Structure formats: structure tokens, C-alpha cells
Amino acid sequence: FAKKVAEYLFEPMGDQNQAEYCTVKEAASILGISADHMRKIKARYPHIKNGSKQQGHILFKKSELIKEYSK
């Protein structure tokens, strides 16, 4: 997992939004859990919803996930 964390930390800084936030699947990968579990515990981590209430995508703040992983 350390390699994955390093890749997230040092990814190219293209679009600021892409560098700062990640999808449910990416967030789950950082924490080493399933995407379904990540959706269930999403309230524990800073996130935003991109899109409509019913069809939007949840995006998590990468820096907070990495802090949690490193505990």
C-alpha cells in the first residue's frame, strides 16, 4: 500500500480538483477497504458530492484519507 500512497502523493498536478479529490474506488484503495464499505463510512471523511442528489458522484479529499492511512 505504501507504493499506492506514494503514487497519490506525487501524481502530476494537472487539474487542482483532480489532485485534491478522489473517487470512492480510489479512496477505498487508499484505506485498503472495499468501495461498498467506503460508501457506508463516508461521513467519517471530508467529501463532496459532484452532481445531482440522486445521480451525483462522491469525491473524497485525498490528503485526509492519506492522513488516516498513515495513523
Side-chain angles (χ1 to χ4, degrees):
F1 283 149
K3 183 180 177 187
K4 271 202 185 293
V5 171
E7 288 171 356
Y8 283 113
L9 283 173
F10 297 107
E11 76 180 6
M13 296 293 288
D15 179 17
Q16 184 62 26
N17 250 357
Q18 287 181 348
E20 191 174 345
Y21 289 92
C22 61
T23 65
V24 171
K25 189 175 179 180
E26 292 169 328
S29 178
I30 290 170
L31 297 177
I33 60 176
S34 72
D36 286 338
H37 188 62
M38 188 72 217
R39 285 183 193 91
K40 289 177 187 172
I41 64 169
K42 71 179 183 255
R44 296 183 192 174
Y45 303 99
H47 65 280
I48 58 172
K49 188 142 185 193
N50 187 14
S52 72
K53 189 171 184 171
Q54 292 291 330
Q55 298 296 320
H57 296 280
I58 300 167
L59 300 173
F60 292 90
K61 194 162 188 171
K62 282 185 185 180
S63 60
E64 294 299 318
L65 296 170
I66 293 168
K67 273 191 224 174
E68 179 66 25
Y69 176 78
S70 64
K71 283 184 179 179

